[in-house]
Amino acid sequence: MSTDKSIVQAFIELRAEDPEALSAFAVARSRLRAGKGLVSLRRVRVFEITGVLPAKAEVEALLHRSTRFYNPAKERCTVRANERDRAPFRDEESLVLVVDRGLERRTAAERWWKHETGARVQVREGTAWALSFEPGLETEKSTRSLAKVRDRAHGLLSNPHFQDWRPGHGALPPFPWIKGRPKRTEVTA
């Protein structure tokens, strides 16, 4: 194990249909102009673990035996150890990472990691929404319009009063993506 700090991303997705994503998809398609061309909407929890970390296989094993990160019986986990590793998104998907402002740290997971490995790490969590649109639509504009709630007819995925969001795209989202405080991105009509 190296003594240099590194980052891994863990993407956690339900094995069964996600009721929250299904509900958001139905609302977007039926009530929001930007959602009319939406073909699919998925929700994936994202963890970023920063510190002196073991090899990717050992990180996967640690995550698999911890209930602080995910339940292997109900969810699947994809670990990304560098910016070249693929995340569980399709190349054509637009991504919106949503982070609860000031509440992204997961101290219980940090304590568990220290107990298991003896190493101190920082664990942050956010929610990634993966959106696919019908061909020919302005996907970036539609994604930005759906990313932040502005009123009853605009926005869906993040509440600007306590959440921040960051864009991403496809199977290679930003690395790191959560670390630090996301910029508050303003959306114009």
Side-chain angles (χ1 to χ4, degrees):
M1 180 164 57
S2 169
T3 58
D4 295 333
K5 282 190 174 187
S6 58
I7 295 175
V8 297
Q9 293 175 327
F11 298 88
I12 313 298
E13 188 171 16
L14 283 174
R15 292 180 186 274
E17 287 188 317
D18 182 350
E20 190 170 331
L22 287 172
S23 176
F25 177 74
V27 168
R29 291 276 301 178
S30 66
R31 299 184 180 202
L32 303 174
R33 187 174 0 153
K36 297 293 183 207
L38 197 60
V39 173
S40 71
L41 179 64
R42 297 185 303 132
R43 180 177 62 108
V44 178
R45 292 185 304 128
V46 181
F47 289 96
E48 282 185 355
I49 305 166
T50 306
V52 178
L53 303 172
K56 180 180 176 180
E58 179 61 21
V59 170
E60 290 171 334
L62 283 162
L63 294 175
H64 188 71
R65 66 177 191 250
S66 167
T67 58
R68 297 290 178 193
F69 294 93
Y70 82 112
N71 179 343
K74 296 185 338 181
E75 300 168 305
R76 65 180 147 267
C77 176
T78 303
V79 174
R80 188 172 180 228
N82 62 60
E83 61 191 8
R84 293 175 309 282
D85 287 349
R86 293 180 65 85
F89 304 112
R90 293 184 300 273
D91 289 333
E92 73 276 2
E93 286 180 311
S94 295
L95 307 176
V96 174
L97 175 74
V98 178
V99 177
D100 293 347
R101 194 174 304 133
L103 300 173
E104 69 276 2
R105 288 283 298 275
R106 296 294 177 251
T107 56
E110 293 172 3
R111 286 191 303 273
W112 178 88
W113 191 280
K114 186 169 183 353
H115 178 266
E116 291 295 310
T117 68
R120 296 182 76 139
V121 296
Q122 286 191 349
V123 178
R124 291 182 168 82
E125 182 180 8
T127 301
W129 293 90
L131 302 87
S132 290
F133 293 92
E134 293 173 359
L137 292 177
E138 295 181 54
T139 58
E140 186 175 337
K141 183 178 178 184
S142 295
T143 299
R144 287 186 174 279
S145 182
L146 289 170
K148 178 181 159 187
V149 173
R150 287 186 290 136
D151 56 41
R152 290 178 61 130
H154 300 91
L156 178 67
L157 304 175
S158 70
N159 181 332
H161 298 291
F162 74 96
Q163 294 175 315
D164 293 319
W165 70 276
R166 281 187 175 162
H169 190 81
L172 298 172
F175 190 90
W177 202 8
I178 301 172
K179 188 178 179 183
R181 190 177 178 133
K183 298 176 207 160
R184 294 187 197 168
T185 309
E186 292 301 317
V187 179
T188 56

